[in-house]
Amino acid sequence: MDLLNTLVDKGLRRELPTREEALAVLATSDDDVLDVVAAAGKVRRHWFGRRVKLNYLVNLKSGLCPEDCSYCSQRLGSKADILKYTWLKPDEASKAAAAGLAGGAKRVCLVASGRGPTDRDVDRVSETIRTIKEQNEQVEVCACLGLLSDGQAERLREAGADAYNHNLNTSEGTYADITTTHTYADRVDTVQRAHAAGLSACSGLIAGMGESDEDLVDVVFSLRELDPDSVPVNFLIPFEGTPLAKEWNLTPQRCLRILAMVRFVCPDVEVRIAGGREVHLRTMQPLALHLANSIFLGDYLTSEGQAGKADLEMIADAGFEVEGAGEVTLPEHRVEAAAGCGSVCGAHEGADACGHEGRDACGTTAAQEARTDLVAVRRRGAGTDLAPNA
């Protein structure tokens, strides 16, 4: 297929595809999905080999968020029966992080619900970062605390944070349909603050909220322009008790096309499969490893994920290997560019992070039936007395 050959050549040169080419990837048929995966897989392997980076979420503060993001089980007015608790103490958070690190994770993502942190919250999270770093010298720490104010990104960096996650989630043109308590511009501003402070910027999207193909291309092209080191791709988890509970627009094949499009547009960036992979990709998850080079291990913010042991077996069975703590994730040219601007190489859920839980998809396949049996609310790990899944 000429389209795929063109996109592979552009990906190997880090050349931006046209919008028409990106849209054409999303418009391919299910009959061609293996060809699409094979083509995007060439780009993924060129920049990242067969390594898979493991990340582990620690939900520092769950539920009771004042923002009204329609996709989120922690939103204002949510009736989802999720865990609700206030801030974990630094030693509790460090203990939770240790479970993920023991399972092979090299990055810990510290997430808290809310519009954004107060200065006291930043102090609390900074202490948590220092505690985790003292006990695990090589670990990468990514914070995801919502919208940042002046000086907060710098303080997190001084405490030892390596990265900051704040997702764009959807296109600028449709953002107000999803959230009204803050704006798309607010999100862009926070990503830029993190980058300017020397933090590795991490920003991604949520697919399956009823968005059009044009919306998906818009947000991924916007991410390319922001140039984060890491792009998490979340697939909507339609929690009962949220406005988008009835939005079951994704099929495994559409998820694969979305991931392939992201890889073609962001060829040399860490593309991470985040929340919802078990719900929507299901038995097709191993194919997604040919597109993304990063996943979350174990559970998400408010939902349970695949067993950590099953994640590791899936990676090995698919012919991939877990990226070691001493290995550099990003290609050399991105590491050098980051060093030149004073940031670190590396890296996402929370008020806005990895594991998000959107509106009539315009894909070429019919939407699947609602699989509410696959949406399991997290009842273990952080904020409970039960052992975590890692």
Side-chain angles (χ1 to χ4, degrees):
M1 189 184 294
D2 289 343
L3 167 68
L4 297 179
N5 291 333
T6 297
L7 288 170
V8 170
D9 288 344
K10 286 187 173 184
L12 300 184
R13 299 194 305 265
R14 291 187 286 145
E15 182 180 336
L16 181 66
T18 66
R19 285 181 54 84
E20 291 71 25
E21 288 167 340
L23 286 166
V25 173
L26 297 178
T28 53
S29 72
D30 287 352
D31 291 341
D32 294 324
V33 73
L34 289 180
D35 293 329
V36 172
V37 170
K42 292 179 182 179
V43 179
R44 180 253 200 265
R45 289 191 300 278
H46 177 81
W47 295 112
F48 298 96
R50 303 190 73 85
R51 306 188 314 277
V52 178
K53 181 176 180 177
L54 297 182
N55 309 267
Y56 191 70
L57 281 169
V58 178
N59 196 352
L60 297 177
K61 180 168 74 78
S62 183
L64 308 175
C65 183
E67 302 299 286
D68 68 353
C69 307
S70 299
Y71 50 78
C72 188
S73 61
Q74 304 183 78
R75 75 187 296 272
L76 177 69
S78 171
K79 294 180 174 56
D81 185 25
I82 61 169
L83 289 170
K84 299 181 179 68
Y85 53 86
T86 190
W87 291 94
L88 297 181
K89 293 181 172 60
D91 59 334
E92 295 173 321
S94 183
K95 182 179 179 181
L101 296 173
K106 66 181 292 184
R107 168 166 293 189
V108 172
C109 302
L110 302 176
V111 186
S113 62
R115 178 179 178 83
T118 65
D119 286 340
R120 182 182 177 188
D121 293 336
V122 172
D123 289 340
R124 181 187 284 112
V125 175
S126 295
E127 185 179 351
T128 298
I129 293 169
R130 284 189 285 266
T131 300
I132 292 172
K133 290 269 188 172
E134 286 170 2
Q135 298 175 7
N136 305 275
E137 187 175 340
Q138 286 189 297
V139 67
E140 295 176 8
V141 176
C142 179
C144 179
L145 311 174
L147 301 173
L148 293 174
S149 302
D150 290 347
Q152 291 183 330
E154 288 78 6
R155 290 169 58 196
L156 291 168
R157 179 75 182 94
E158 290 169 4
D162 299 287
Y164 195 84
N165 166 258
H166 201 62
N167 295 329
L168 297 187
N169 290 331
T170 193
S171 68
E172 182 175 12
T174 59
Y175 196 83
D177 297 334
I178 296 299
T179 305
T180 67
T181 47
H182 60 266
T183 67
Y184 180 90
D186 291 332
R187 287 187 173 270
V188 170
D189 177 70
T190 285
V191 176
Q192 292 172 334
R193 285 176 184 267
H195 192 275
L199 291 166
S200 176
C202 175
S203 188
L205 65 141
I206 307 173
M209 299 192 290
E211 68 282 334
S212 67
D213 286 1
E214 288 76 9
D215 291 325
L216 284 171
V217 170
D218 281 348
V219 68
V220 177
F221 271 59
S222 294
L223 288 166
R224 166 81 181 232
E225 187 174 349
L226 275 177
D227 196 31
D229 288 327
S230 175
V231 176
V233 180
N234 295 276
F235 300 109
L236 177 74
I237 302 177
F239 272 97
E240 290 297 327
T242 64
L244 301 183
K246 306 303 181 187
E247 298 290 340
W248 289 85
N249 301 311
L250 298 171
T251 65
Q253 293 81 8
R254 181 160 173 81
C255 292
L256 291 171
R257 285 191 286 269
I258 291 168
L259 286 167
M261 185 270 287
V262 174
R263 175 55 72 198
F264 286 131
V265 176
C266 305
D268 60 338
V269 167
E270 178 189 340
V271 175
R272 184 179 310 147
I273 317 171
R277 66 177 165 95
E278 298 89 345
V279 177
H280 297 293
L281 280 162
R282 300 191 291 277
T283 58
M284 303 286 270
Q285 289 181 70
L287 275 181
L289 295 176
H290 291 271
L291 307 169
N293 62 296
S294 182
I295 66 171
F296 279 98
L297 177 73
D299 295 333
Y300 302 96
L301 290 181
T302 61
S303 64
E304 293 188 352
Q306 184 166 275
K309 183 173 182 291
D311 284 338
L312 298 175
E313 290 174 347
M314 175 182 73
I315 291 168
D317 290 347
F320 293 88
E321 60 186 25
V322 173
E323 185 173 288
E327 295 182 273
V328 177
T329 300
L330 295 174
E332 185 176 352
H333 65 272
R334 290 194 67 91
V335 176
E336 291 174 348
C341 67
S343 73
V344 295
C345 68
H348 150 18
E349 188 174 289
D352 135 86
C354 320
H356 276 125
E357 289 82 57
R359 298 172 332 224
D360 172 11
C362 297
T364 56
T365 16
Q368 64 173 320
E369 293 182 7
R371 289 296 306 273
T372 55
D373 58 305
L374 294 176
V375 181
V377 174
R378 181 173 69 83
R379 303 294 184 199
R380 61 195 175 196
T384 77
D385 295 326
L386 300 179
N389 170 28

